[in-house]
Amino acid sequence: MSRDMSRKSALCLALSLLLMGQVLFIRWQEGREPWTQYQRRYFAAQKLSARQPQVVSLRLPGGKVELCLTCHLGIEEISPSHPIEEFGCTSCHGGNPLSLDVSEAHQGLAGGGNPAAFDVAGSTCGGPGPNGAPCHEGNPDPEDNLVARVKQSLMSTKAGEVGQARFALGLQPDPFAFLLGDLATAAQLPHPLDGRSQERPFRANCLGRCHLNAGAYGDSSRSYSGGCAACHYLYDPTGTYRGRDVTIPRNQKGHGAEHRLTSRIPYTQCNLCHNRGTHSLATMTFTFRQDLGATTPVLGQGRAPSWESRKQAYYIPQESYSKCEVSLDCIDCHTRHEVMGDPKDDNHPLTAKVEAQRIQCLDCHGTRSAPPASVTLTDPNDRVFKDPRLAELGLPPLAVGSVVGFTSRGDKLPFVRFVGTKVTLYSKVTGKAFPVPIVFGSGCEQSPEQQSADACHRCHDLSPNFQATSH
Ligand code: HEC
Ligand code: HEC
Ligand code: HEC
Ligand code: HEC
Ligand code: HEC
Ligand code: HEC
Ligand code: HEC
């Protein structure tokens, strides 16, 4: 072997050692990258021991590339109508899709992490979507434009509660909602109680929370999201995350149960704001219920809450209710126009809850003088056919010719089905079928003129405080 050759091979050896070192160094460095650690935690949690960390790059139809899934590997697809391969992550969340650094990737996240918050929902939920088409705003059919309308609803502004408080203090002649003018919410009113001493506690204990702008009710240990997410992004009563994304802390309160948008909204979600406690106008305080404890149902674990736990948690203890007002979920009665606003009201601000109200007891039960109203579906393009819950819940098909419920305010009830004189309600949350008992022709002793819930509750009240009346 010549000296030249041996020098060459020594050099070769040195070079390959260097290269190997470099590769090892990069591997070592990569192993310390947060994203590889998130992936290792995910693999461990899912028992995928053979998998090695790898950058995950999602290419969307328009050519845009996103690396978010590299860290958020286990995250649930937000919903079948927002498929991951079409929407990716940034079409809703914003952020920096090409960065693998936690804080750089999150720079400019819409709504500080909640893209459905009302300060940003106009451009996120409002669209346009990844393909440039309008989403929940800017469509030809006003029924599809939801953002501006929900932002103006009483649940968002709290104008109804201001009206009631002002009426109680003698500051306005009726309990109607206070007209807000150009203001977006009642919390922005400079003097909601005309400068009275109660103004400050009223603002802190009432206007500041439990509405769609503030997020749902949060106590010191929990907070829940606001905007469209307040209803559509489900929380369970523990307020913690149970999905598969390891970056989301599982033991920290204030997280949705899963990364999921749904319109199968259970009563527990509405009750993040409703039925949490009682207001006192005299002291301007809000007293949280003490009876919501261990028996509060936990949703989403394949277990439907029991009748007893529903009955306990559904309403504040002094409330009256009939069977269906507990066995059904809020949205089985309250229609989309009631919770998200009605295009018919677009040009006039609602002044009272009764104007928002769409449903009455008689819409399902009829009265002693008439059976409940119904309508036959005739338009093949009717939006009721497009409801994804019909398939998700495996309900009997809905078609042209089907007969469904119809409220006296003109809303269809496509989950209340009429076959001959038989009426069946299908739960929008579980799909369970409930035969609807009909008053017409029954032994019910109501007066057909007295159809308010209060009038019915005089005889039909299952609450423990019920005092039987003579009949
Ligand atoms: C390098 C890893 C990493 C990347 C890349 C990454 N994230 Fe995150 N993300 C995290 C971690 C960790 C958290 C948990 C909260 C935190 O530490 O900020 C998180 C939290 C979030 C949250 C909740 C924020 C909050 O305050 O509630 C959102 C929303 C989110 N990420 C979206 C995205 C989107 C969209 C992308 C891509 C543009 C992305 N993430 C890319 C690691 C990452
Ligand atoms: C259709 C819109 C939409 C899409 C698409 C979407 N998200 Fe979300 N995401 C939301 C909403 C709404 C929330 C709930 C925010 C809240 O309630 O605070 C959320 C919450 C989150 C959170 C916070 C969860 C928590 O409990 O802290 C993370 C992390 C997140 N998204 C990451 C992603 C990633 C990664 C992608 C892409 C794979 C993605 N999202 C796609 C709408 C979307
Ligand atoms: C107060 C609760 C609540 C809020 C806030 C809310 N929704 Fe809804 N949404 C519902 C309910 C309940 C349904 C189902 C209505 C039904 O059963 O007919 C629904 C249905 C929907 C549907 C299904 C299709 C349709 O048009 O009926 C879409 C889409 C939707 N909401 C989008 C939004 C958007 C976007 C926002 C925010 C601007 C929003 N929602 C805010 C309660 C809410
Ligand atoms: C983020 C808190 C919050 C959530 C979540 C919420 N609500 Fe409300 N809701 C309110 C407030 C506050 C009012 C009263 C506003 C006022 O009178 O000023 C209200 C009023 C109502 C009203 C009477 C007035 C109207 O606008 O129709 C109905 C009915 C109603 N809610 C049903 C529901 C249902 C059903 C759900 C679940 C799908 C729900 N709410 C979820 C806060 C909430
Ligand atoms: C069985 C049907 C049904 C169910 C279930 C139901 N409601 Fe109602 N709700 C009604 C009817 C009917 C009215 C109108 C009352 C009247 O006729 O006086 C009403 C009135 C209301 C009002 C306005 C009156 C008021 O007291 O301020 C609110 C707010 C409300 N419901 C919220 C809810 C919430 C939240 C849930 C679920 C926790 C729910 N409802 C469940 C049928 C129902
Ligand atoms: C959306 C349809 C719907 C509305 C609106 C509705 N109910 Fe019902 N109601 C039902 C169904 C379904 C049942 C059967 C519930 C069950 O089996 O758990 C029922 C059962 C009842 C019963 C029990 C009858 C018996 O056989 O014991 C009474 C009483 C009643 N409802 C009163 C009311 C009152 C009062 C209201 C107004 C506050 C109301 N309902 C609004 C659908 C409705
Ligand atoms: C003065 C008392 C009284 C009032 C008020 C009253 N009911 Fe009844 N209701 C009855 C009695 C009694 C029955 C028969 C119970 C039985 O047959 O076991 C009944 C039966 C019913 C049934 C069951 C029908 C069946 O076939 O099983 C429904 C549903 C019902 N009522 C709804 C209502 C509604 C809705 C209102 C309010 C508009 C109302 N009731 C007001 C006394 C009353």
Side-chain angles (χ1 to χ4, degrees), residues 68-69 72 75 78 82 84 87-89 91-93 113-116 225 229 233 235 241 245 247-248 254-256 259 261:
C68 313
L69 280 171
H72 292 286
I75 200 159
I78 189 94
H82 307 94
I84 209 164
F87 282 78
C89 312
S91 60
C92 291
H93 284 290
N114 178 8
S225 308
Y233 195 85
Y235 284 77
Y241 178 69
D245 183 335
T247 70
I248 305 170
H255 295 272
H259 186 247
L261 285 171

Side-chain angles (χ1 to χ4, degrees), residues 322 324 360-362 364-368 436-460 469-471:
S322 310
C324 53
Q360 285 180 274
C361 312
L362 62 82
C364 288
H365 293 295
T367 68
R368 270 175 65 183
V436 184
I438 303 300
V439 165
F440 186 65
S442 79
C444 178
E445 293 163 9
Q446 60 162 253
S447 144
E449 286 73 49
Q450 295 185 350
Q451 292 296 322
S452 73
D454 286 348
C456 311
H457 292 155
R458 277 194 287 115
C459 299
H460 297 288
T469 49
S470 56
H471 72 257

Side-chain angles (χ1 to χ4, degrees), residues 415-434:
F415 287 67
V416 178
R417 310 283 183 84
F418 287 62
V419 177
T421 54
K422 271 221 166 75
V423 185
T424 309
L425 177 144
Y426 294 93
S427 157
K428 289 174 177 170
V429 177
T430 63
K432 184 176 170 188
F434 291 90

Side-chain angles (χ1 to χ4, degrees), residues 395-409:
L395 298 195
L398 200 58
V400 168
S402 298
V403 185
V404 301
F406 193 58
T407 73
S408 44
R409 299 285 298 268

Side-chain angles (χ1 to χ4, degrees), residues 139-203:
N139 299 281
D141 182 352
E143 288 281 0
D144 295 322
N145 300 334
L146 296 163
V147 182
R149 194 173 303 122
V150 180
K151 274 165 92 166
Q152 284 162 14
S153 75
L154 292 180
M155 291 196 239
S156 174
T157 65
K158 281 217 165 184
E161 290 182 7
V162 175
Q164 275 169 356
R166 289 177 58 85
F167 172 65
L169 295 175
L171 298 173
Q172 66 180 54
D174 53 53
F176 293 163
F178 187 78
L179 290 179
L180 293 171
D182 291 335
L183 296 174
T185 75
Q188 293 163 342
L189 284 167
H191 297 297
L193 301 180
D194 293 1
R196 295 267 185 117
S197 60
Q198 295 98 323
E199 207 162 80
R200 193 203 276 243
F202 180 62
R203 197 180 276 291

Side-chain angles (χ1 to χ4, degrees), residues 40-106:
R40 288 213 175 85
R41 268 166 55 196
Y42 173 72
F43 298 149
Q46 299 304 318
K47 304 200 167 52
L48 301 165
S49 52
R51 292 242 326 245
Q52 284 302 312
Q54 215 178 349
V55 171
V56 180
S57 131
L58 179 70
R59 184 176 289 275
L60 300 175
K64 188 172 178 182
V65 171
E66 294 187 346
L67 304 183
C68 313
L69 280 171
T70 306
C71 294
H72 292 286
L73 198 53
I75 200 159
E76 299 74 32
E77 177 170 88
I78 189 94
S79 88
S81 21
H82 307 94
I84 209 164
E85 60 284 356
E86 211 178 297
F87 282 78
C89 312
T90 55
S91 60
C92 291
H93 284 290
N96 210 332
L98 297 178
S99 171
L100 287 178
D101 173 77
V102 179
S103 58
E104 200 181 63
H106 293 158

